[in-house]
Amino acid sequence: MTAKAPITQDVMTLPRKLPQEGKVNLVGMTRDQMREALIAMGTTERQAKMRVGQIWQWIYQWGVRDFAEMTNLSKAYRADLDAAFVIEIPEMVSRQVSEDGTRKYLVRIAGGHEVEVVYIPEEGRGTLCVSSQVGCTLTCSFCHTGTQKLVRNLTAGEIVGQIMMARDDLGEWPKPGEPKDETRLLSNIVLMGMGEPLYNFANVRDAMKIAMDGEGISLSRRRITLSTSGVVPEIARTAREIGCLLAVSFHATTDEVRDKLVPINKRWNIETLLDALREYPKASNSERITFEYVMLEGVNDSDEDARRLVKLIEGIPAKINLIPFNEWPGAPYKRSSNNRIHAFADIIYKAGYASPIRTPRGEDIMAACGQLKSASERQRKSRRQIEAESGLG
Ligand code: SAH
Ligand code: SF4
């Protein structure tokens, strides 16, 4: 393979699944919900807990989709399950592989909607960037997803289903009886795909609980990072009910600029957001908060901004992730120069904070941060519309 390997794109022509009328999908149910569902099917209360344990393990530890393979259940019970339930995950429509190995999947969910999922391989690990909504109700002016009009919340099954689909594609389900392989291709999850996860709280929580469950996918809470634009009332709840790491799309150091970049700031401003963040590590007993900061030329990238940022976050255990702006067709901003980004990073670093500059991954396939937008959604707002709405025009 040459260094400039061609981009590959497979368009899957999967056979359309037969309609599974009346059957309930087990994927995405919490253990309690599965228990209720099994009891409704006729499983005795006494047996239900054990059955949940067995089925759970088949689905989430071994990646089994067919009840017939659940060999520790009786044939009659497997037939009952098959008559009542399905084990279904979103359908992969296409997969693109970037020259840097990043994979971008387009997946189709019920109703014909499509979302994107990105797998980023790294040395000794790999991160899956998961979507929580089709589009996003918020309209951050630098974000491609924010220009997508169509929005619906993903179900818990559609969220955890993205992880299962990626494990299918990576061939990463262990086989029963084989020793556990601790080096994982898919070792980390970031909720940084399409959508605002805290506007779909219950489904995101249930999906992450399933991903963290020790009898299944078994990812530690420290390997899951939820990124929010700043839905303040849900931040404490995230600590309590999910306990994962938190990243915040900060992006500006004055309310005036943040109002334009991240319009949710008009509802919960910088001060309110910082108050909520100060409580977060205490509540979840977790590590530092990641402040995401997109570098936009002439908008938020001055030395003064860097110094203001350091002052604002004083007292919060933090790491500042600088994201060079990823362009998309019609975007109203430019990426700051490398020199500017490094000068900015330097000020933050000297103040005692880690300030990594995120290397854009999968740019050639539009898989980098903020570039996601389903191919089915072709209607795009014009640059003028975006500028007018962001007040920057
Ligand atoms: N809605 C959530 C998570 C999805 S966005 C949030 O806003 O935090 C994931 C990250 O990518 C966010 O920090 C977002 O601000 C950033 N981002 C969006 N568009 C971008 C772009 N064009 N270039 C670089 N980063 C971008
Ligand atoms: Fe939505 Fe996040 Fe994009 Fe803002 S940056 S529009 S919150 S996905």
Side-chain angles (χ1 to χ4, degrees):
M1 211 159 72
T2 60
K4 278 258 169 205
I7 301 159
T8 60
Q9 172 156 21
D10 319 334
V11 176
M12 308 279 159
T13 44
L14 299 176
R16 293 292 314 166
K17 289 196 193 81
L18 294 170
Q20 307 262 16
E21 243 160 76
K23 294 193 184 182
V24 177
N25 191 7
L26 291 180
V27 177
M29 287 184 184
T30 61
R31 280 177 180 267
D32 282 348
Q33 287 165 344
M34 200 184 283
R35 188 174 167 276
E36 296 297 316
L38 294 183
I39 290 169
M41 182 196 84
T43 309
T44 62
E45 298 227 0
R46 206 168 52 85
Q47 287 218 316
K49 195 173 172 206
M50 184 176 76
R51 296 284 173 249
V52 169
Q54 291 169 313
I55 297 167
W56 190 277
Q57 214 171 17
W58 284 114
I59 299 178
Y60 296 113
Q61 187 157 340
W62 313 122
V64 161
R65 304 284 148 74
D66 187 347
F67 295 107
E69 289 176 45
M70 303 186 175
T71 46
N72 56 356
L73 302 172
S74 76
K75 274 206 170 137
Y77 193 70
R78 283 185 250 161
D80 288 349
L81 287 173
D82 196 43
F85 302 113
V86 288
I87 304 167
E88 226 166 49
I89 64 167
E91 181 189 356
M92 188 196 299
V93 181
S94 70
R95 175 187 56 192
Q96 290 170 275
V97 183
S98 156
E99 38 185 63
D100 69 12
T102 300
R103 301 180 185 200
K104 182 169 84 170
Y105 307 101
L106 183 65
V107 301
R108 187 174 299 140
I109 55 171
H113 302 299
E114 288 167 347
V115 291
E116 292 180 334
V117 187
V118 179
Y119 172 71
I120 306 143
E122 291 151 294
E123 195 65 41
R125 55 179 250 163
T127 301
L128 193 72
C129 181
V130 168
S131 289
S132 56
Q133 298 182 308
V134 178
C136 185
T137 51
L138 300 173
T139 51
C140 302
S141 49
F142 54 89
C143 174
H144 202 200
T145 309
T147 67
Q148 184 166 327
K149 286 176 190 149
L150 195 65
V151 179
R152 108 149 152 73
N153 278 341
L154 299 194
T155 64
E158 289 162 348
I159 298 169
V160 74
Q162 296 169 49
I163 304 171
M164 297 163 76
M165 181 214 65
R167 293 196 92 185
D168 288 354
D169 188 51
L170 296 165
E172 206 183 23
W173 293 106
K175 297 262 178 308
E178 281 180 8
K180 258 194 184 170
D181 183 2
E182 293 304 335
T183 55
R184 292 219 196 165
L185 294 172
L186 200 172
S187 60
N188 292 65
I189 304 284
V190 292
L191 283 150
M192 294 186 186
M194 297 164 68
E196 168 50 60
L198 295 190
Y199 273 154
N200 186 13
F201 187 89
N203 291 333
V204 165
R205 174 199 57 209
D206 290 351
M208 292 307 112
K209 290 256 178 200
I210 294 170
M212 289 188 275
D213 191 295
E215 300 286 310
I217 299 167
S218 194
L219 287 169
S220 128
R221 62 172 192 85
R222 288 192 193 80
R223 292 184 175 270
I224 299 176
T225 304
L226 182 151
S227 173
T228 180
S229 57
V231 184
V232 165
E234 305 289 4
I235 287 179
R237 213 174 148 206
T238 304
R240 267 197 321 271
E241 296 181 30
I242 309 178
C244 60
L245 303 186
L246 189 71
V248 175
S249 295
F250 208 65
H251 305 322
T253 60
T254 64
D255 281 324
E256 196 194 345
V257 176
R258 195 161 191 274
D259 280 351
K260 289 174 186 161
L261 298 181
V262 190
I264 202 176
N265 195 67
K266 291 181 204 155
R267 184 112 179 249
W268 296 290
N269 67 11
I270 291 179
E271 195 188 336
T272 318
L273 175 59
L274 289 171
D275 285 345
L277 297 179
R278 273 193 197 92
E279 295 301 316
Y280 193 84
K282 262 190 265 167
S284 72
N285 196 21
S286 75
E287 295 71 10
R288 297 170 296 179
I289 288 176
T290 301
F291 284 74
E292 296 163 284
Y293 199 97
V294 63
M295 297 300 292
L296 305 171
E297 188 179 80
V299 176
N300 63 355
D301 62 350
S302 68
D303 286 354
E304 208 189 340
D305 277 305
R307 284 192 284 267
R308 250 196 313 261
L309 180 59
V310 167
K311 261 217 164 107
L312 283 171
I313 64 173
E314 206 182 329
I316 302 178
K319 147 175 132 185
I320 293 76
N321 208 330
L322 300 175
I323 317 175
F325 175 59
N326 294 310
E327 301 197 356
W328 37 271
Y333 302 105
K334 282 212 176 87
R335 178 184 290 186
S336 309
S337 71
N338 280 345
N339 283 348
R340 185 85 299 272
I341 299 177
H342 280 103
F344 195 97
D346 210 42
I347 293 173
I348 295 166
Y349 183 74
K350 288 201 173 114
Y353 296 95
S355 55
I357 299 165
R358 194 182 286 173
T359 317
R361 297 290 302 263
E363 275 186 301
D364 51 343
I365 55 169
M366 289 279 288
C369 297
Q371 292 185 318
L372 302 185
K373 177 164 163 165
S374 66
S376 61
E377 161 63 35
R378 298 204 186 281
Q379 223 182 353
R380 203 177 60 226
K381 290 181 194 173
S382 69
R383 177 198 292 252
R384 204 173 296 127
Q385 247 176 312
I386 296 161
E387 282 177 353
E389 285 171 21
S390 67
L392 292 166

